[in-house]
Structures are given as C-alpha cells and as structure tokens.
Amino acid sequence: MNSLQIIKPDDWHLHLRDGEILKAVLPESERHFARALIMPNLIPPVTTVKQASKYRESIIKALTEKDSFQPLMTLYLTEDTKPSELKLGVQTGIITAVKLYPAGATTNSQSGVKDYKKIYPILETMTDLGLPLCVHGEVNNDSIDIFDRELVFIETVLDPIRQRFPKLKIIIEHITTKSAVDYVNEGGKNLGATITTHHLVINRNNILAGGIRPHYYCLPVAKREPDRLALLETATSGKENFFLGTDSAPHFDTQKESACGCAGCFTATNSIPILTQIFEDNSALENLENFVSKNGAIFYGLKQNKSYITLKKGNSNNLPQNIICDKKNITVFDPGFELNWEVQTTF
Ligand code: DOR
Ligand code: ZN
C-alpha cells in the first residue's frame, strides 16, 4: 500500500503547557491532530472550570490556523475538588474529563490525591454525570520498585475504585505493561487505556543500556521488551478500548539533560508517521484508523472528526527535530528508525 486516507487523528493525552512553550509546541499537534485531551498539570494546576476555560481560550488564541484544532479540557482532581465544580464543568461543556494524579507521582502532581477515600464522593458525582476519569496509574511509594508501580496501582488503588464505581468510565493513561493490557482486556466497556507512541517504540534498555538517554525517560518509565510487545500487539489489533494518547510532554533540553532530569518524551511532531510505520511493519495498516482516530472518540462518546489525512509513502525528514522556544531547545523524540510515510492534511 502506498497511500492511505484516514479520519484525522485525535490525541487523548497531551501536555501543551502555557505561555511561550504553548505557542512553540501547539503547531506540532495542530499539524496532524483534530482534537486533543489537554492535561491540567500546569503551575498552578487547572483545578477550576474558570481556569480550564481561560486555558482553553489561550490555546485557541495560540492556534496558527483558526478552527484547525479543538482542545478538550480536563480538570485536575484534588482532595478538595467540589462536586459542584464538576457539575458546572459538564453543564458549560468546558470539561471533557477529570485527571487523577497520585500526589508526587509525576511532573507537577504535588496537588494530587493521597487518600483515595477522600475522593469517593467526587467519583460518585462523576458516575452520575457520566464524566470520565483519566488516571496516572502509578503509586508514588518509595518502597515500591519503579518498574512495579503500575501494577501495584492497578491492584491497590484502581481495582477497589472500579469495584465500588463499576459504572464510572475510567481510562488508564499511558499503560506500559502486559499486566495493564490484560487488566483492560478483562475490564469491560467502562475501562479504556491510552498507549503512547514512545512506549510502542522503546523498552528500558533504550534508556539505560550503553549510557543514559534522558530523552527516552518518561513516566511511567518504559518497561521490558515483553511489555512493549504486548502494547504493540494490542495497539495494532485495533481493539476498541485502546487508543492513542501521546503524552507528548515538552521539557527544555537543559531540564532533561541534567543530574535530575525531567520525565517526558516530546512526540507531537512525528507520532503519526512513527505509528504508520509501526502499523505497516506489523502488517496492521488497516487498524491504524481505529487506534488513532476512532476508538477514543467512541469511548468518550464524541462524534468522529469530519476531516481526513492522507498518509503517503515518502519520507518525513522535513519534520522538525527540535523545537526552539526562547532560544532554548526541545528535542523531538527520535524513534531510531527511518520514517517512510509522510502526512498530508486534507480538509
Ligand atoms: O513523562 C511524563 N511527563 N509523564 C507524566 O506523567 C507527566 C509528563 C509531563 O508533564 O512532563
Ligand atoms: Zn502525561
């Protein structure tokens, strides 16, 4: 196959930041995506509908082309979030989902949740409102090995929540393990998962073997090769409950290439060419549209996008390898293989 037309993709997990970084990185998502679910881990975090609305306006204002991209907003869940705030978010149409960060688990998550019992009333309200819960599925516990934190979260935090709120729609974000794939496969229609581009490409050797490669460090950290293969098999199967959430997370090189480097891979620029290549290499091009354009919208109960993109055999060497912002550099994720597909946007 030399050419393929698919519904314009959505990114169900994206970090855009704000200010100058927002302006620098937004065109990278605008180019290939129609919509994205915008993460609320700003400083300060987006905890109110008013803040989310203001943030949404600033994103829309920063678009290079009017109406080319729709930001779908999330609220940052804290132990103090009020049910009335969520009701307002739904009534006004500002809020698409709520994001649960275990306190301290990742970038700007200090205001997240420590005592899960405290958020049970909120989860009750969300169930009634049909408002989905996105979770950063890792415990933040020094006594738990970092490579086990996803599974321990599923067993000790998520499963009790699901038992108690079976009708709550939950998305485990950026899953990294075969255990998470198996758990979602058995979870029924109210449980979904996003998979990032980079977790389909790298395993932990890419980060650590032969030298530390900070641009491959993200959270949850990439796991073993059998885990990557389980993610790959699931994503390329086109199965309904799994969809793309890039977790594209810009950090300046100075923050990544440091004695204590930040977590995040910046993949907004080349996710779609990388994924097309991966799906082709796995003889699964026919399932690409499910993974990048259809499954997420179905899970969130939203309409499919009306615009299309055309993927053509060619090369994507013209895509930027760095994003410059305030004379500082943000390195674009390097998949380590040639990209033989280019994207043409058809409106
Ligand atoms: O790698 C990551 N980067 N994982 C996250 O959960 C947060 C993100 C960020 O905001 O930089
Ligand atoms: Zn994220």
Side-chain angles (χ1 to χ4, degrees), residues 13 15 39 99 101 174 247:
H13 183 131
H15 298 272
M39 290 301 119
K99 176 72 189 241
Y101 288 103
H174 39 51
D247 197 13

Side-chain angles (χ1 to χ4, degrees), residues 99-120:
K99 176 72 189 241
L100 163 60
Y101 288 103
T106 186
T107 312
N108 303 338
S109 61
Q110 300 82 341
S111 314
V113 177
K114 287 191 184 127
D115 178 357
Y116 293 95
K117 291 261 160 19
K118 289 198 178 148
I119 60 163
Y120 277 13

Side-chain angles (χ1 to χ4, degrees), residues 229-301:
L229 292 175
L231 297 172
L232 193 60
E233 192 193 332
T234 305
T236 56
S237 73
K239 272 187 218 156
E240 269 190 0
N241 294 27
F242 298 88
F243 36 94
L244 175 65
T246 66
D247 197 13
S248 181
H251 292 281
F252 293 125
D253 285 0
T254 44
Q255 294 164 322
K256 299 241 356 132
E257 298 166 9
S258 133
C260 183
C262 297
C265 296
F266 185 75
T267 55
T269 305
N270 53 6
S271 268
I272 297 301
I274 292 173
L275 292 166
T276 312
Q277 188 68 54
I278 292 174
F279 275 63
E280 182 187 38
D281 293 346
N282 287 274
S283 308
L285 275 177
E286 71 279 9
N287 291 332
L288 180 66
E289 190 179 47
N290 282 352
F291 183 65
V292 303
S293 314
K294 285 186 167 176
N295 291 355
I298 294 169
F299 190 87
Y300 276 90

Side-chain angles (χ1 to χ4, degrees), residues 11-219:
D11 182 350
W12 293 101
H13 183 131
L14 177 65
H15 298 272
L16 287 175
R17 318 297 188 208
D18 50 8
E20 291 306 308
I21 300 189
L22 165 65
K23 285 186 206 147
V25 301
L26 182 59
E28 303 304 300
S29 291
E30 236 182 301
R31 194 182 293 126
H32 296 163
F33 295 94
R35 296 177 288 201
L37 191 70
I38 311 299
M39 290 301 119
N41 60 335
L42 302 184
I43 307 170
V46 180
T47 54
T48 65
V49 176
K50 202 171 165 192
Q51 282 172 303
S53 174
K54 218 172 137 207
Y55 185 27
R56 183 172 168 274
E57 277 165 30
S58 67
I59 296 168
I60 289 172
K61 200 168 155 219
L63 288 172
T64 58
E65 204 173 317
K66 197 171 170 281
D67 298 332
S68 64
F69 175 87
Q70 195 188 352
L72 303 171
M73 307 313 290
T74 56
L75 270 195
Y76 187 120
L77 184 59
T78 73
E79 291 176 5
D80 300 321
T81 303
K82 302 271 176 299
S84 56
E85 199 65 29
L86 301 189
K87 284 180 193 155
L88 181 67
V90 171
Q91 275 160 11
T92 53
I94 302 285
I95 300 303
T96 299
V98 172
K99 176 72 189 241
L100 163 60
Y101 288 103
T106 186
T107 312
N108 303 338
S109 61
Q110 300 82 341
S111 314
V113 177
K114 287 191 184 127
D115 178 357
Y116 293 95
K117 291 261 160 19
K118 289 198 178 148
I119 60 163
Y120 277 13
I122 281 287
L123 300 183
E124 183 101 52
T125 305
M126 288 176 61
T127 309
D128 295 343
L129 292 169
L131 190 58
L133 177 73
C134 298
V135 298
H136 181 106
E138 283 189 295
V139 288
N140 176 30
N141 183 334
D142 282 344
S143 67
I144 310 287
D145 190 282
I146 191 165
F147 292 100
D148 298 330
R149 288 180 183 190
E150 185 171 272
L151 181 57
V152 173
F153 179 88
I154 289 174
E155 288 173 349
T156 63
V157 180
L158 185 60
D159 207 55
I161 288 177
R162 290 191 54 240
Q163 304 280 346
R164 191 158 175 146
F165 304 99
K167 292 192 176 144
L168 178 63
K169 269 193 188 178
I170 300 179
I171 303 97
I172 317 182
E173 304 272 40
H174 39 51
I175 54 169
T176 58
T177 55
K178 182 175 184 308
S179 312
V181 169
D182 294 343
Y183 185 76
V184 175
N185 268 323
E186 286 160 18
K189 69 175 179 20
N190 291 329
L191 185 64
T194 54
I195 300 178
T196 73
T197 311
H198 48 282
H199 288 119
L200 294 174
V201 176
I202 58 167
N203 63 31
R204 61 196 207 178
N205 281 4
N206 295 99
I207 313 168
L208 295 170
I212 293 180
R213 291 187 185 74
H215 294 287
Y216 289 150
Y217 172 63
C218 66
L219 285 170

